[in-house]
Amino acid sequence: MRLRPLRGEPLALDLVDTVWVEHGTRLDQFDDPEGVRAWLSEHGLPGGDEPDRVRGPLVEARDAVRDALEGRGPDRLNDVLDRGSCRPRLGPDGPSESVVIEDAAWHAPWVAAASFVRLLGERPDRVRRCANPECPLWFLDASKNGSRRWCSMEVCGNRAKVGRFNQRHRTSA
């Protein structure tokens, strides 16, 4: 299993970022059961014992979040959200919430979709796509001035710098 280039984003964006491009090839972390298992484990989500059963719902939720991010409407996302709900509870330790899902395979996908809705409610102006047109990655711009443009300065940002440098030298030659 290859390591993804961008990790540690909010849950929904991290789900979308399980598809990336490396040396011109599209890679998908969910192409093998170990990748599904690793992603679920990384986020403390259930379903890792049945990665083949959870893969389809995860891919469906990932595509639904991507559709919403890319302006193709909320219908697919709402279809995922319709598969569950959140029940507020009050216990001895105070308030809490529990996720109510009919089909356990949809637990992690529903949690990711719900986290996307919360993210849009809190910081919609800071959810960004990498400025490299070849890069499919999304991130939450947590920079102080809100000017982050690249998924990674070391990868896409550096490619852009090299491209601008080469362009300047071609035009001046």
Side-chain angles (χ1 to χ4, degrees):
M1 182 181 73
R2 290 189 160 142
L3 288 178
R4 291 181 287 127
L6 184 60
R7 303 168 75 94
E9 292 300 318
L11 181 62
L13 299 180
D14 200 72
L15 176 62
V16 169
D17 292 345
T18 57
V19 171
W20 70 98
V21 174
E22 190 173 292
H23 306 295
T25 302
R26 179 188 178 276
L27 300 174
D28 185 337
Q29 180 171 347
F30 298 156
D31 277 350
D32 76 72
E34 199 50 48
V36 173
R37 209 177 271 114
W39 189 85
L40 292 167
S41 175
E42 181 180 333
H43 295 288
L45 293 167
D49 54 338
E50 297 182 286
D52 292 329
R53 189 164 173 265
V54 175
R55 182 192 183 281
L58 276 174
V59 169
E60 195 170 324
R62 178 180 68 195
D63 293 346
V65 172
R66 185 175 294 280
D67 278 359
L69 284 166
E70 294 178 355
R72 288 189 289 272
D75 292 347
R76 288 179 78 184
L77 184 69
N78 286 330
D79 288 345
V80 173
L81 292 167
D82 286 344
R83 295 179 170 275
S85 64
C86 198
R87 183 174 292 147
R89 309 296 297 167
L90 184 58
D93 296 330
S96 66
E97 293 181 342
S98 63
V99 174
V100 180
I101 304 285
E102 285 186 31
D103 180 350
W106 283 93
H107 184 102
W110 185 90
V111 169
S115 76
F116 178 65
V117 173
R118 276 191 301 280
L119 181 62
L120 289 182
E122 296 166 0
R123 313 276 320 256
D125 57 321
R126 291 293 185 110
V127 175
R128 309 244 169 88
R129 183 176 180 160
C130 180
N132 175 354
E134 305 301 315
C135 182
L137 301 179
W138 287 80
F139 59 88
L140 178 66
D141 181 358
S143 68
K144 193 171 187 172
N145 64 1
S147 64
R148 181 175 165 192
R149 297 181 56 212
W150 313 106
C151 65
S152 162
M153 199 56 215
E154 297 77 29
V155 179
C156 288
N158 191 46
R159 284 186 189 137
K161 284 181 180 180
V162 168
R164 285 191 305 267
F165 175 84
N166 289 338
Q167 183 65 33
R168 279 194 310 270
H169 283 68
R170 266 188 242 124
T171 57
S172 65

